[in-house]
Amino acid sequence: MFKRIVKRIKKIEYQIRGTFSCFILFAFLLLSLNSIAQDSIKKPKIGLVLSGGGAKGLAHIGVLKVIDSLGIKIDYIGGTSMGAIVGGLYASGYTGKQLDSIFSTLNIDDLVQDNIPRKSKLLFNKRNDDIYALSLPFKRLKLETPNALSKGFYNYNFLSKLTYHVRNTRDFKKLPIPFFCMATDIESGEEIVLNKGIFPQALIASSSVPSIFYPIEIEGKLLIDGGVTNNYPVEKLKELGAEYIIGVDVQEELKDRKELQGITTIFGQISNFNTQSQMKSKRKLTNVYIKPEIKGYTVLSFENGKKIIENGEYATRNFLSELMKFENKAYQKPELKLIKDSIFIGNIGFTELKNYTRAYVLGKLRFKQNSKVSFEDFQNGIQNLSNTQNFSSVKYQFNEKDIFISLRENKINTFLKFALHYDELYKSGALINITQKKIISKNDMVSLDIILGDNFRYDFNYLIDNGYYFSFGINSTLNKFNKNVNSAFGIQSYLNNTFEKINLDYSSLNTKVFLQTVFLRKFNMGGGIEFQNLILKSDNLKKVNKTIENSNYLSFNGYLNHDTFDDKYFPKKGWYLKSNFNYYFSSSDYTNQFSKFSISKTDLGIAFEPLKNISFTFQNEIGFKIGYSTLPYFDFALGGTGFRDNTNIRPFYGYDFLSISGNSYIKTSGTYDYEFFKRNHINLTYNASIVGDFIFKATKTWFNKPTYTGFGLGYGLETLIGPIELKYTWSPESHFSAFWVNLGFVF
């Protein structure tokens, strides 16, 4: 009986325990549901609105860094102008920290001036930048003024690369964070919400500041900066579904009378009236209103980017107590894997063109369909196409692996260009150029340089550019100068006890007809036939004929060129190759000394930057005559610096102009350059050379110790008219020293 009682008690105990467990479980469920309900109340849909403000908008990055540190997940983003760029990149997957790293390397000069890297330009287009200080476009004999300072091409490439991972997203609501940005229809003045389309194109349109950047055409509408109509689109975020708004405002406040100094300030104040009037109601829609310290900064203060970002962080931390309501330590925004160095290009499509063939376009792109290319090579190709100046607009979009390029043909075909220069060889010169496109065929170009000054010269070029197919060209140049010389071009026989030097008049008229093509998608390779009239005279030769040489020559010419230097005058990166060969087979033979011969020359250079603002450039040259001709007038003459490139006349530090000569030579040089302040350079050059007659014969003279050495110490300043350089040169062998001045682009 006792056992039965015990069993009964145990049964009751088990029932109680089970009931209690169920109660506990039920209570836990109630608490969980209550917690979920509370969370749903405490965590509304969070929207982030970012205003425009140019460089001041970098403060948005500081705000985002703080938001990321708290683990706050943003549900919607809307922005205008710089707020659109920063917000759009954040919405695509970048973290605040990543954006800090990206924009810390932004080059304001490239941004505003729309700089296309020199290395990505074709050789003829490099010449444009290396010679001309001013270019004026004409249409039907009327000067065309640009609509803005920049076409925004650099920015488009910059953002296209950064957004490559979302290249297939056409609906911005499907980005990792739903996004929209604002633009303005310049024709109607209507505000435009951009939430679909080509992502980088939308970001560019939203940030196209009038007068600085060209308007962007999207779906038939011509769009400019959204800040003109809606610089703080908080109400659009509400319409999208945001319940709690974090707003960042980097707009300028209205200035008082003490601050209103100057026309630009007054006009800025007038344009700011409408914006500030709107902000009275917009602030009421903002739950957390962040106003970073931006006083003293302008829309172009990118050089102060680090400080502006810090100001954004500081301003956000003033609202930590409010923001920490949404803190989630378990959440961390994942870092976006940055784009790979190479991309696959499938099919290449582009707008149907009237004046240019598919071969022409592909020849400028220099990358193949269905091939893997580096992103740098891809952008270089696009930049090549843009830099032809044959297209007023070059935009592209990625579709999966294919690419479509939208091209708008340029209606401007006439350009006037100008430049000024002074050096110790050619003296002063003023260059006037006229360039005309589409004269005979749809893809041809004619250019004429006329140089007025101490030595009249000209340079004429005509080219029918057929891209990958053989292009046809004509080049004619007149090169003249006057100089006291002692050894160049075989004039030693005219020297006596009376003259240590004679005053030499040099004149060379060269005309060549050639075909050229692209070799290995990098090198310009071509050849043709060349006519040359060479005249050498001296007024010092009174008792004999003043004319030393006056002959016409015919030769076959071949060349191979490549140039990726980022700057012709102060290179920091890249390499170049210039190789030229002439076979002279006929002459009018003024001196009765002619026999068939060849001249070959190769110039190779490389530049690199091991440390910021410190660069090294190394160059090696080799030139020689092939054949038994004793004709001295095609010898290589070395000495001096700062003059235009010439096959047979070469610069050399430590010796006077044209003071070293021979029918063959080897030259090597190394330059250390320090950019101690923006566009200000100090450089030191050492060069060494072996020069003589037939130095490459079996005697192996060229293995010997250099015969000539020299040093050059200089200061250089980059200006709008070209480099201004002051050089001091010295040679330890001859103890010759001199100061040389070069002003402006070399031509």
Side-chain angles (χ1 to χ4, degrees):
M1 182 149 176
F2 180 76
K3 289 183 178 179
R4 274 194 246 172
I5 293 171
V6 172
K7 284 182 181 180
R8 183 76 180 208
I9 292 171
K10 285 185 177 180
K11 187 176 180 181
I12 294 170
E13 185 182 353
Y14 290 148
Q15 288 176 343
I16 293 171
R17 285 182 179 180
T19 303
F20 184 74
S21 298
C22 289
F23 175 79
I24 294 295
L25 180 61
F26 180 71
F28 178 77
L29 290 172
L30 284 175
L31 288 171
S32 297
L33 290 171
N34 185 55
S35 178
I36 292 171
Q38 287 182 350
D39 285 345
S40 65
I41 295 173
K42 289 182 179 179
K43 295 183 179 179
K45 296 292 184 181
I46 300 175
L48 178 66
V49 59
L50 305 175
S51 82
K56 295 173 290 183
L58 293 175
H60 298 320
I61 297 173
V63 177
L64 293 172
K65 289 172 70 176
V66 177
I67 287 175
D68 286 346
S69 69
L70 296 173
I72 299 174
K73 189 177 186 302
I74 303 297
D75 298 291
Y76 306 100
I77 297 179
T80 300
S81 197
M82 193 63 179
I85 292 175
V86 174
L89 293 175
Y90 188 79
S92 75
Y94 291 95
T95 65
K97 186 178 179 180
Q98 285 180 309
L99 293 177
D100 191 354
S101 298
I102 290 169
F103 282 90
S104 64
T105 60
L106 190 66
N107 190 316
I108 181 59
D109 292 334
D110 292 340
L111 178 73
V112 178
Q113 299 175 16
D114 209 20
N115 284 340
I116 297 176
R118 182 182 182 274
K119 66 178 182 179
S120 70
K121 298 177 181 178
L122 302 175
L123 286 175
F124 188 85
N125 301 117
K126 287 184 174 73
R127 185 177 182 274
N128 243 8
D129 299 338
D130 297 342
I131 292 180
Y132 307 117
L134 177 65
S135 180
L136 300 176
F138 282 80
K139 184 178 180 181
R140 297 175 183 175
L141 302 179
K142 292 183 179 179
L143 178 64
E144 287 285 308
T145 55
N147 294 330
L149 295 175
S150 169
K151 292 182 179 180
F153 192 68
Y154 174 89
N155 301 351
Y156 191 82
N157 279 337
F158 175 71
L159 291 174
S160 291
K161 182 177 181 179
L162 292 176
T163 60
Y164 183 76
H165 59 288
V166 291
R167 63 191 179 280
N168 298 321
T169 303
R170 295 290 183 262
D171 186 350
F172 303 164
K173 292 179 183 178
K174 296 181 179 180
L175 290 168
I177 302 175
F179 171 81
F180 72 88
C181 59
M182 303 302 299
T184 303
D185 188 331
I186 195 172
E187 293 180 295
S188 67
E190 178 187 5
E191 66 175 32
I192 304 295
V193 178
L194 298 175
N195 53 20
K196 293 182 180 180
I198 303 168
F199 191 43
Q201 196 173 77
L203 300 182
I204 288 293
S206 181
S207 56
S208 291
V209 181
S211 75
I212 295 180
F213 299 110
Y214 275 64
I216 304 297
E217 185 176 349
I218 298 179
E219 296 183 353
K221 295 180 179 180
L222 207 58
L223 305 180
I224 60 171
D225 196 307
V228 176
T229 52
N230 194 342
N231 205 29
Y232 189 84
V234 62
E235 72 284 354
K236 305 296 181 184
L237 267 182
K238 288 284 188 179
E239 295 172 10
L240 196 61
E243 300 166 308
Y244 192 92
I245 306 292
I246 301 172
V248 189
D249 183 9
V250 292
Q251 303 170 97
E252 287 191 15
E253 300 285 351
L254 294 175
K255 294 179 170 60
D256 59 30
R257 64 179 66 186
K258 293 180 180 179
E259 296 174 301
L260 291 172
Q261 302 293 327
I263 296 175
T264 56
T265 306
I266 292 174
F267 274 107
Q269 179 91 333
I270 295 170
S271 65
N272 207 21
F273 285 155
N274 184 52
T275 300
Q276 291 301 320
S277 176
Q278 291 178 355
M279 286 304 299
K280 294 177 182 179
S281 60
K282 289 176 181 285
R283 283 191 65 171
K284 295 177 181 178
L285 299 175
T286 308
N287 300 95
V288 177
Y289 180 76
I290 302 172
K291 184 72 174 176
E293 178 57 56
I294 52 145
K295 193 172 182 179
Y297 300 115
T298 70
V299 294
L300 297 177
S301 297
F302 288 94
E303 69 277 5
N304 303 116
K306 184 178 180 181
K307 180 61 178 175
I308 295 173
I309 292 172
E310 289 176 355
N311 287 353
E313 291 185 62
Y314 181 78
T316 310
R317 296 191 184 280
N318 291 332
F319 296 90
L320 279 181
S321 59
E322 183 68 23
L323 293 174
M324 286 179 70
K325 295 177 183 178
F326 309 104
E327 184 179 16
N328 185 357
K329 295 181 180 180
Y331 173 78
Q332 185 176 3
K333 192 171 193 264
E335 284 200 357
L336 182 69
K337 292 183 179 179
L338 301 180
I339 186 174
K340 298 179 181 178
D341 292 335
S342 60
I343 58 176
F344 183 83
I345 301 294
N347 295 319
I348 302 174
F350 49 84
T351 312
E352 186 175 348
L353 302 173
K354 293 182 180 180
N355 296 310
Y356 301 97
T357 64
R358 182 174 179 84
Y360 174 85
V361 174
L362 294 178
K364 297 295 175 279
L365 292 175
R366 297 194 173 187
F367 52 78
K368 294 180 179 179
Q369 294 187 135
N370 300 309
S371 63
K372 195 174 186 180
V373 300
S374 69
F375 209 95
E376 182 181 14
D377 286 344
F378 165 77
Q379 288 192 329
N380 286 345
I382 296 293
Q383 289 163 344
N384 284 342
L385 194 59
S386 175
N387 199 54
T388 63
Q389 296 183 327
N390 292 327
F391 305 98
S392 59
S393 175
V394 180
K395 295 290 187 292
Y396 56 90
Q397 64 186 73
F398 295 104
N399 301 305
E400 215 44 62
K401 294 181 179 179
D402 300 334
I403 181 175
F404 182 82
I405 306 172
S406 179
L407 301 171
R408 185 183 300 139
E409 295 184 48
N410 199 345
K411 296 180 181 179
I412 298 174
N413 297 316
T414 307
F415 299 86
L416 277 179
K417 305 173 185 180
F418 306 91
L420 297 171
H421 180 71
Y422 174 85
D423 65 58
E424 300 286 345
L425 180 61
Y426 290 96
K427 304 301 181 182
S428 62
L431 184 154
I432 303 172
N433 169 275
I434 183 168
T435 298
Q436 178 67 47
K437 298 184 178 184
K438 303 183 183 68
I439 284 194
I440 300 175
S441 70
K442 57 186 180 182
N443 54 337
D444 71 352
M445 181 276 308
V446 63
S447 172
L448 175 63
D449 290 343
I450 296 178
I451 300 157
L452 305 173
D454 291 303
N455 294 279
F456 173 80
R457 292 169 285 152
Y458 78 80
D459 191 347
F460 171 84
N461 287 279
Y462 176 77
L463 180 66
I464 300 176
D465 195 339
N466 293 319
Y468 278 128
Y469 300 125
F470 276 99
S471 301
F472 170 79
I474 301 172
N475 171 253
S476 181
T477 61
L478 175 63
N479 187 18
K480 295 176 67 176
F481 61 81
N482 175 274
K483 193 68 180 176
N484 290 327
V485 297
N486 60 8
S487 64
F489 312 119
I491 56 99
Q492 293 92 332
S493 60
Y494 297 95
L495 301 177
N496 50 42
N497 294 329
T498 306
F499 303 112
E500 292 184 0
K501 294 183 177 182
I502 64 171
N503 187 264
L504 183 69
D505 288 317
Y506 177 95
S507 176
S508 177
L509 173 63
N510 293 61
T511 301
K512 54 186 175 184
V513 179
F514 61 91
L515 294 173
Q516 77 174 26
T517 187
V518 179
F519 177 64
L520 296 177
R521 299 183 174 269
K522 293 182 178 180
F523 299 88
N524 268 17
M525 180 177 69
I529 190 167
E530 182 173 354
F531 165 84
Q532 181 176 2
N533 171 246
L534 181 62
I535 300 176
L536 304 177
K537 293 182 178 181
S538 178
D539 290 333
N540 295 128
L541 307 177
K542 296 180 180 180
K543 296 182 180 181
V544 296
N545 189 352
K546 296 181 179 181
T547 302
I548 300 172
E549 164 70 327
N550 186 1
S551 297
N552 299 321
Y553 296 90
L554 284 175
S555 66
F556 292 116
N557 170 260
Y559 59 87
L560 182 68
N561 297 323
H562 182 63
D563 184 358
T564 65
F565 268 7
D566 58 351
D567 188 274
K568 178 182 178 180
Y569 301 97
F570 304 101
K572 295 180 179 180
K573 296 178 183 178
W575 68 282
Y576 77 88
L577 170 70
K578 298 179 183 177
S579 187
N580 192 81
F581 178 84
N582 279 78
Y583 170 61
Y584 295 87
F585 60 88
S586 179
S587 172
S588 60
D589 201 11
Y590 177 82
T591 60
N592 295 316
Q593 295 179 309
F594 177 78
S595 61
K596 297 177 181 179
F597 69 98
S598 301
I599 291 286
S600 180
K601 179 184 172 294
T602 297
D603 188 358
L604 178 66
I606 185 171
F608 58 94
E609 187 179 25
L611 298 171
K612 188 178 180 180
N613 297 329
I614 294 177
S615 61
F616 292 92
T617 304
F618 295 98
Q619 295 174 266
N620 291 283
E621 301 177 30
I622 181 172
F624 53 89
K625 181 186 290 186
I626 304 172
Y628 295 97
S629 172
T630 58
L631 196 69
Y633 311 122
F634 288 84
D635 284 356
F636 297 96
L638 281 68
T641 184
F643 51 89
R644 62 168 287 172
D645 189 31
N646 188 298
T647 300
N648 292 72
I649 303 173
R650 309 304 303 159
F652 194 82
Y653 291 105
Y655 286 81
D656 201 1
F657 292 92
L658 289 74
S659 61
I660 312 170
S661 66
N663 67 19
S664 52
Y665 82 106
I666 294 176
K667 174 192 166 185
T668 186
S669 65
T671 298
Y672 163 84
D673 184 275
Y674 173 48
E675 188 176 6
F676 64 93
F677 190 70
K678 193 174 184 179
R679 297 188 177 92
N680 288 263
H681 301 258
I682 291 177
N683 42 60
L684 175 66
T685 300
Y686 169 78
N687 55 200
S689 181
I690 297 176
V691 185
D693 291 336
F694 304 103
I695 65 171
F696 298 101
K697 282 189 172 182
T699 55
K700 298 183 179 180
T701 309
W702 60 291
F703 280 123
N704 295 340
K705 183 180 178 181
T707 311
Y708 307 96
T709 63
F711 297 87
L713 177 64
Y715 164 78
L717 173 66
E718 300 177 63
T719 73
L720 293 175
I721 65 167
I724 297 175
E725 296 183 279
L726 176 64
K727 299 279 187 182
Y728 173 76
T729 70
W730 175 76
S731 171
E733 296 90 30
S734 64
H735 301 291
F736 172 87
S737 64
F739 280 100
W740 288 328
V741 177
N742 305 299
L743 305 175
F745 293 116
V746 177
F747 49 79

